[in-house]
Amino acid sequence: MATGRKGSIAKRLTRMNMLVSATVLLLACTGFVAYDLATFQATLVRNLSIQAQVAGSNSVSALTFDDPSAAERTLSAFHLAPNIVSACIYGPDGKAFATYRRDSSARIPSNPQIVAGEEENHWREHDDLMLVHEIVFQGQRAGFVFIQSDEQNLIERMKHYFTIALAVLVLSLIVALLLSHFARRSIAEPVAQLARVARTVSQEKNYAIRAVREKAEGELAELVETFNEMLEQIEERDHSLRTAHNELERRVEQRTGELAAANKELESFSYSVSHDLRSPLRSIDGFSQALLDDYGDTLDTVSHEHLKRIRAATQKMGLLIDDLLNLSKVTRSPMQREAVDLSSMAQSVAAELAKQDGQRQIEWVIESNVQAHGDSRLLQIVLDNLFGNAWKYTSKHQSARIEFGLKRQNGSSAYFVKDDGAGFDPEYSARLFGAFQRLHGAAEFPGTGIGLATVQRIVLRHGGRVWAEGAVEQGATFYFTL
Amino acid sequence: MWLVCIGFAFPSGFSVAVDAQQSKPSEYQVKAAYLYNFSRFIEWPARPAAETGEPFAICVLGKDPFGPILDATVSGQGAGAQGLVARRLTKPEDALACQILFVGDSEEGHLKEILTALGKVSILTVSDIPRFSERGGMIEFVLKGDRVRFEVNLSNAVNAGLAVSSDLLKVALTVRKNPQSGA
């Protein structure tokens, strides 16, 4: 393929060279022949006239001294001119004096065809040119000369032209061939080499290769150099890209490692803190209980009250620690996805809540057969929290309605838990899912502010999303997807 | 330059002599014409200034075979009256003023004295006398069949200072050259 392409450009150069020289030559020959043919008639007449005059002046003495044989000797020189068919010397009286015939068929007019007073006359007869010229010697008419010429001249001439043109054509084509050999060396080869290099570069993606200048000159050399420069630039850019890429990769790896380490540290920190906080708390609670049990009789009512407060606070802190541990567990424990029947899970959560306070009038609306695919233990925590919140924030109402189901909208679906309780100010909805963020006072509704943060963690671990809708005293709806 | 002068002086052409009679011209008509025509193929040296006014003279010495034919030929050269004349002589000394001298048959006996008398003067000598060109003459008329031809002794003409055109020699029957120049 490579040689084929190389061959094609070299061949094309050769062909172009040959074509140009042949065309130029043919045009030149055509022009030359056309010019010559155009002037040939005049030239022929002039040449014939000169021949007639020479023959005439050479015959003057023969005419003067009545010596036809001398005149015939003069005319016989015409046998060297193959185009002269016949010739004749006439005396001043118009009588034939001496004749010349190329062959026996040649016909000679019996008298010179010329009007009195004219020096010369020529005419055509069957493609032959006839010419009569008056012989004048020392101002006196000595006689006439007649010459007949055929087309031999023209044919000879054309033959000559053809031969010469052919010879020149062959010669110039050979020269063109030689020249194109040089052109091939100086043009075709550098181009072919450049093409070869370009192909190698594009096939092997090797930008370190360079085209060789060598025989290239002028624009070709420029082309080769520019090509090389281009390759260099590509190589440089490639190099810097690779460097940047490597640097980025290295940094990402480093950051990821740092992040993972920090995260792990943070988790283990919060776990150990939560865990380690428990035992002193248990001591405080236990010793407060012991104080009440052992010295309850001796303590006054204010001390009793203080000890009760201490115990309530430690219990609250215990809950807080439990929630924190839950939260960290949620992040630490591995996920085990499976098919989960959320409907039955919701039923049992509702039943558990109803057991805590049988006095409350709650209308539970739980959609049946709501299925999910996820970690059942974590989803249990989600439902516990959301139902717990609904239960908690409807506690100030006489009666309440708590719903659970799957809402389908715009081709996607989301699970929801809806209540008609205290609701929240939608302006702060973004803060709902932050840890320790509470929209209501602890006195109003107890809680640690960790529940919704845990819910969000779990939903995010499942690759889902959680959000809330609601208004103050208008109830709240929590949606989540998995 | 005499040749040119004469040529232009009589432009009507030599054909007159032949054309005058459509029937075949007589021997002496041809010879008379040739006498004049020789002057057109021969150059004489330039004459002394004193003689430039003199006409070109064709002279006949001894018995005249031409009679009026020569005069007719001379006067037939158009307006040549003042430039060309025909003269009859009896003594060779008179010939010194001539350019062409025709020696009649009657003088064959003392040909040697005549030619000696002319010496190296530039006079073209012509004659019918047999072997004239071998005996010191320049042009000798010879009859070949019914044609008048002539022989030329080039050496004698050159010695007399005459320049003979090669065209004339071309139609001469014989061109002689003496074995040694300066006879």
Side-chain angles (χ1 to χ4, degrees), chain A residues 36-47:
Chain A
D36 196 72
L37 281 182
T39 57
F40 186 58
Q41 287 305 326
T43 312
L44 203 63
V45 169
R46 200 163 56 243
N47 286 345

Side-chain angles (χ1 to χ4, degrees), chain A residues 41 74 157 159 180 239 253 344 372:
Chain A
Q41 287 305 326
T74 301
R157 213 179 174 80
K159 270 189 195 162
S180 67
H239 181 73
E253 214 169 288
S344 56

Side-chain angles (χ1 to χ4, degrees), chain A residues 1-15 184 187-200 202-203:
Chain A
M1 188 156 176
T3 49
R5 281 192 188 168
K6 181 197 168 186
S8 88
I9 196 170
K11 264 182 205 154
R12 230 180 294 166
L13 272 174
T14 308
R15 226 178 296 142
R184 179 194 297 226
I187 296 171
E189 257 174 41
V191 169
Q193 205 204 14
L194 196 61
R196 257 199 317 272
V197 171
R199 205 174 311 114
T200 314
S202 89
Q203 277 172 359

Side-chain angles (χ1 to χ4, degrees), chain A residues 69-84:
Chain A
S69 61
E72 261 162 24
R73 276 201 303 281
T74 301
L75 289 186
S76 70
F78 280 135
H79 78 267
L80 294 172
N83 61 307
I84 304 295

Side-chain angles (χ1 to χ4, degrees), chain A residues 343-400:
Chain A
S343 295
S344 56
M345 195 181 273
Q347 291 285 2
S348 61
V349 171
E352 196 69 35
L353 285 170
K355 227 194 288 175
Q356 287 182 16
D357 189 349
Q359 301 300 308
R360 288 193 55 187
Q361 291 188 351
I362 304 286
E363 186 191 351
W364 297 97
V365 182
I366 293 171
E367 191 180 323
S368 59
N369 202 26
V370 173
Q371 298 291 328
H373 186 75
D375 189 305
S376 62
R377 204 172 46 83
L378 293 177
L379 289 179
Q380 179 77 53
I381 297 171
V382 169
L383 289 189
D384 278 345
N385 272 294
L386 291 180
F387 272 83
N389 275 351
W391 173 268
K392 186 161 63 184
Y393 291 109
T394 51
S395 57
K396 297 278 193 285
H397 291 218
Q398 280 286 309
S399 61

Side-chain angles (χ1 to χ4, degrees), chain A residues 166-183:
Chain A
L166 201 70
V168 171
L169 192 68
V170 168
L171 201 74
S172 59
L173 287 186
I174 290 170
V175 170
L177 210 63
L178 286 175
L179 286 180
S180 67
H181 179 70
F182 289 110

Side-chain angles (χ1 to χ4, degrees), chain A residues 274-332:
Chain A
S274 314
H275 194 267
D276 291 352
L277 279 178
R278 262 197 180 160
S279 57
L281 205 58
R282 219 176 285 127
S283 300
I284 295 170
D285 189 39
F287 281 106
S288 301
Q289 179 70 45
L291 212 55
L292 278 176
D293 289 348
D294 297 348
Y295 303 98
D297 310 337
T298 54
L299 291 174
D300 57 10
T301 50
V302 177
S303 303
H304 260 279
E305 191 57 32
H306 285 176
L307 280 171
K308 269 181 187 162
R309 280 204 180 179
I310 290 171
R311 283 207 63 208
T314 53
Q315 272 157 19
K316 194 184 170 191
M317 195 170 173
L319 279 177
L320 196 63
I321 288 168
D322 281 347
D323 281 351
L324 270 175
L325 276 174
N326 261 344
L327 185 64
S328 73
K329 238 186 258 167
V330 159
T331 13
R332 284 153 61 91

